[in-house]
Short mmCIF file of all heavy atoms in Angstrom, two decimals:
data_model
loop_
_atom_site.label_atom_id
_atom_site.label_comp_id
_atom_site.label_asym_id
_atom_site.label_seq_id
_atom_site.Cartn_x
_atom_site.Cartn_y
_atom_site.Cartn_z
N LEU H 40 99.42 160.57 103.25
CA LEU H 40 99.12 159.72 102.16
C LEU H 40 100.46 158.98 101.72
O LEU H 40 100.32 157.78 101.47
CB LEU H 40 98.61 160.64 100.91
CG LEU H 40 98.06 159.87 99.72
CD1 LEU H 40 96.92 158.99 100.04
CD2 LEU H 40 97.60 160.80 98.71
N PHE H 49 105.13 148.29 101.59
CA PHE H 49 105.89 147.52 102.43
C PHE H 49 105.36 146.09 102.66
O PHE H 49 105.89 145.10 102.53
CB PHE H 49 106.23 148.22 103.76
CG PHE H 49 107.02 147.41 104.70
CD1 PHE H 49 108.35 147.14 104.66
CD2 PHE H 49 106.27 146.65 105.84
CE1 PHE H 49 108.91 146.30 105.56
CE2 PHE H 49 106.96 145.87 106.78
CZ PHE H 49 108.29 145.72 106.61
N LEU H 57 107.41 136.52 101.12
CA LEU H 57 107.07 135.39 101.83
C LEU H 57 106.45 134.26 100.98
O LEU H 57 106.87 133.11 101.15
CB LEU H 57 105.94 135.73 102.83
CG LEU H 57 105.40 134.67 103.77
CD1 LEU H 57 106.54 134.13 104.54
CD2 LEU H 57 104.30 135.07 104.61
N THR H 68 112.30 121.11 99.63
CA THR H 68 111.93 119.97 100.22
C THR H 68 111.51 118.75 99.35
O THR H 68 111.95 117.61 99.48
CB THR H 68 110.57 120.21 101.07
OG1 THR H 68 110.98 121.29 102.01
CG2 THR H 68 110.16 119.00 101.91
N TYR H 70 112.53 118.36 96.16
CA TYR H 70 113.74 118.05 95.49
C TYR H 70 114.63 117.10 96.31
O TYR H 70 114.95 116.10 96.03
CB TYR H 70 114.52 119.14 95.10
CG TYR H 70 115.79 118.93 94.25
CD1 TYR H 70 115.66 118.62 92.83
CD2 TYR H 70 116.94 118.84 94.86
CE1 TYR H 70 116.84 118.28 92.16
CE2 TYR H 70 118.14 118.55 94.14
CZ TYR H 70 118.03 118.18 92.82
OH TYR H 70 119.13 117.98 92.07
N ASN H 72 113.59 115.39 99.02
CA ASN H 72 112.91 113.99 99.34
C ASN H 72 113.04 113.17 98.06
O ASN H 72 113.16 112.08 98.19
CB ASN H 72 111.50 114.33 99.68
CG ASN H 72 111.35 114.78 101.19
OD1 ASN H 72 112.24 114.76 101.90
ND2 ASN H 72 110.21 115.44 101.39
N ASN H 75 116.62 111.82 98.02
CA ASN H 75 116.88 110.93 99.15
C ASN H 75 116.04 109.63 98.91
O ASN H 75 116.63 108.46 99.21
CB ASN H 75 116.32 111.49 100.57
CG ASN H 75 117.29 112.60 101.00
OD1 ASN H 75 118.48 112.55 100.72
ND2 ASN H 75 116.76 113.41 101.89
N ILE H 77 115.39 108.15 96.13
CA ILE H 77 116.09 107.36 95.09
C ILE H 77 117.45 106.78 95.76
O ILE H 77 117.67 105.62 95.49
CB ILE H 77 116.48 108.30 93.83
CG1 ILE H 77 115.22 108.66 93.09
CG2 ILE H 77 117.42 107.55 92.90
CD1 ILE H 77 115.48 109.72 92.05
N PHE H 84 118.47 98.29 96.95
CA PHE H 84 118.57 97.36 95.86
C PHE H 84 119.87 96.74 95.74
O PHE H 84 120.03 95.52 95.58
CB PHE H 84 118.26 98.13 94.52
CG PHE H 84 118.47 97.30 93.32
CD1 PHE H 84 117.61 96.27 92.95
CD2 PHE H 84 119.67 97.58 92.48
CE1 PHE H 84 117.94 95.54 91.87
CE2 PHE H 84 119.93 96.72 91.40
CZ PHE H 84 118.97 95.73 91.02
N THR H 86 121.98 96.31 98.24
CA THR H 86 122.02 95.34 99.37
C THR H 86 121.41 94.02 99.03
O THR H 86 121.95 93.01 99.36
CB THR H 86 121.46 96.03 100.58
OG1 THR H 86 122.12 97.20 100.98
CG2 THR H 86 121.41 95.08 101.83
N LYS H 88 120.85 92.84 96.06
CA LYS H 88 121.50 92.20 95.03
C LYS H 88 122.79 91.44 95.55
O LYS H 88 123.12 90.32 95.22
CB LYS H 88 121.96 93.20 93.94
CG LYS H 88 122.54 92.66 92.75
CD LYS H 88 122.80 93.60 91.72
CE LYS H 88 123.49 93.13 90.43
NZ LYS H 88 123.70 94.22 89.50
N ALA H 89 123.45 92.16 96.49
CA ALA H 89 124.66 91.50 97.11
C ALA H 89 124.23 90.38 97.94
O ALA H 89 124.94 89.30 97.85
CB ALA H 89 125.42 92.55 97.86
N MET H 91 121.66 88.26 97.47
CA MET H 91 121.38 87.27 96.54
C MET H 91 122.56 86.60 95.91
O MET H 91 122.57 85.50 95.55
CB MET H 91 120.37 87.71 95.53
CG MET H 91 118.97 88.12 96.16
SD MET H 91 118.24 86.77 97.04
CE MET H 91 117.45 85.85 95.78
N ASN H 93 125.48 86.45 97.27
CA ASN H 93 126.30 85.79 98.29
C ASN H 93 125.61 84.66 99.07
O ASN H 93 126.14 84.05 100.02
CB ASN H 93 126.85 86.86 99.28
CG ASN H 93 127.78 87.90 98.81
OD1 ASN H 93 128.52 87.55 97.79
ND2 ASN H 93 127.66 88.98 99.20
N GLY H 102 121.08 71.42 104.09
CA GLY H 102 120.39 71.62 105.33
C GLY H 102 121.24 72.27 106.46
O GLY H 102 120.77 72.33 107.63
N ILE H 106 115.44 77.57 106.37
CA ILE H 106 114.63 78.57 105.57
C ILE H 106 114.56 79.83 106.23
O ILE H 106 114.46 80.98 105.70
CB ILE H 106 113.24 78.01 105.21
CG1 ILE H 106 112.66 78.68 104.06
CG2 ILE H 106 112.33 78.04 106.42
CD1 ILE H 106 113.35 78.42 102.72
N LYS H 126 108.07 104.60 98.80
CA LYS H 126 108.34 105.93 99.18
C LYS H 126 108.65 106.74 97.85
O LYS H 126 108.19 107.95 97.67
CB LYS H 126 109.53 106.08 99.98
CG LYS H 126 109.95 107.48 100.56
CD LYS H 126 111.08 107.31 101.52
CE LYS H 126 111.50 108.83 102.02
NZ LYS H 126 112.70 108.65 102.87
N MET H 127 109.41 106.28 96.97
CA MET H 127 109.68 106.87 95.61
C MET H 127 108.37 107.10 94.83
O MET H 127 108.29 108.08 94.18
CB MET H 127 110.63 105.96 94.85
CG MET H 127 111.95 105.98 95.24
SD MET H 127 113.16 105.34 94.01
CE MET H 127 112.39 103.89 93.45
N GLN H 144 110.15 94.34 90.77
CA GLN H 144 109.55 93.16 90.23
C GLN H 144 110.60 92.02 89.87
O GLN H 144 110.28 90.84 90.07
CB GLN H 144 108.74 93.53 88.99
CG GLN H 144 107.54 94.53 89.27
CD GLN H 144 106.68 94.15 90.40
OE1 GLN H 144 106.39 93.12 90.52
NE2 GLN H 144 106.38 95.13 91.14
N ASN H 152 112.09 82.58 92.11
CA ASN H 152 112.97 81.48 91.42
C ASN H 152 113.83 80.67 92.46
O ASN H 152 113.92 79.47 92.33
CB ASN H 152 113.72 82.11 90.32
CG ASN H 152 112.87 82.51 89.09
OD1 ASN H 152 111.70 82.01 89.01
ND2 ASN H 152 113.49 83.37 88.39
N LEU H 162 115.64 67.86 90.55
CA LEU H 162 116.95 68.29 90.27
C LEU H 162 117.96 67.92 91.21
O LEU H 162 117.50 67.88 92.50
CB LEU H 162 116.92 69.86 90.06
CG LEU H 162 116.01 70.48 88.92
CD1 LEU H 162 116.15 71.97 89.12
CD2 LEU H 162 116.39 69.95 87.58
N ASN H 164 121.40 68.68 93.41
CA ASN H 164 122.04 69.88 93.95
C ASN H 164 122.80 70.65 92.89
O ASN H 164 122.74 71.91 92.86
CB ASN H 164 122.89 69.61 95.12
CG ASN H 164 122.01 69.26 96.34
OD1 ASN H 164 120.72 69.40 96.37
ND2 ASN H 164 122.60 68.81 97.37
N GLU H 172 122.28 80.01 89.25
CA GLU H 172 123.24 80.94 88.55
C GLU H 172 122.61 81.46 87.31
O GLU H 172 122.80 82.60 86.97
CB GLU H 172 124.50 80.09 88.13
CG GLU H 172 125.31 79.93 89.36
CD GLU H 172 125.86 81.18 89.90
OE1 GLU H 172 126.17 82.10 89.24
OE2 GLU H 172 125.86 81.35 91.17
N PHE H 175 120.05 84.23 88.30
CA PHE H 175 120.74 85.44 88.78
C PHE H 175 121.39 86.14 87.64
O PHE H 175 121.41 87.28 87.62
CB PHE H 175 121.87 85.02 89.84
CG PHE H 175 122.40 86.26 90.50
CD1 PHE H 175 121.77 86.94 91.59
CD2 PHE H 175 123.56 86.85 90.05
CE1 PHE H 175 122.19 88.13 92.17
CE2 PHE H 175 124.00 88.05 90.54
CZ PHE H 175 123.33 88.63 91.60
N CYS H 185 118.14 98.27 83.18
CA CYS H 185 117.14 99.13 83.70
C CYS H 185 117.51 100.10 84.72
O CYS H 185 117.03 101.23 84.73
CB CYS H 185 116.04 98.20 84.36
SG CYS H 185 114.55 98.95 84.91
N ILE H 187 120.59 101.51 84.88
CA ILE H 187 121.21 102.52 84.21
C ILE H 187 120.30 103.62 83.62
O ILE H 187 120.44 104.83 83.82
CB ILE H 187 122.19 102.02 83.14
CG1 ILE H 187 123.32 101.35 83.67
CG2 ILE H 187 122.75 103.23 82.15
CD1 ILE H 187 124.25 100.46 82.92
N ARG H 204 113.86 125.84 88.04
CA ARG H 204 113.68 126.51 89.26
C ARG H 204 114.72 127.76 89.43
O ARG H 204 114.34 128.74 89.95
CB ARG H 204 113.77 125.46 90.39
CG ARG H 204 113.62 126.15 91.76
CD ARG H 204 112.11 126.52 91.87
NE ARG H 204 111.90 127.23 93.18
CZ ARG H 204 110.90 128.06 93.17
NH1 ARG H 204 110.15 128.40 92.26
NH2 ARG H 204 110.85 128.85 94.34
N ASN H 207 113.80 130.83 87.46
CA ASN H 207 112.52 131.64 87.84
C ASN H 207 112.82 132.47 89.09
O ASN H 207 113.61 132.60 89.69
CB ASN H 207 111.43 130.56 88.32
CG ASN H 207 110.91 129.82 87.00
OD1 ASN H 207 110.98 130.39 85.84
ND2 ASN H 207 110.27 128.73 87.18
#
Side-chain angles (χ1 to χ4, degrees):
L40 188 59
F49 172 77
L57 180 63
T68 302
Y70 183 82
N72 287 341
N75 286 340
I77 292 170
F84 174 73
T86 298
K88 188 175 178 179
M91 295 303 281
N93 296 327
I106 200 70
K126 183 178 177 183
M127 283 194 316
Q144 300 309 318
N152 284 341
L162 297 176
N164 284 353
E172 282 299 318
F175 188 84
C185 185
I187 289 169
R204 184 68 188 150
N207 288 339

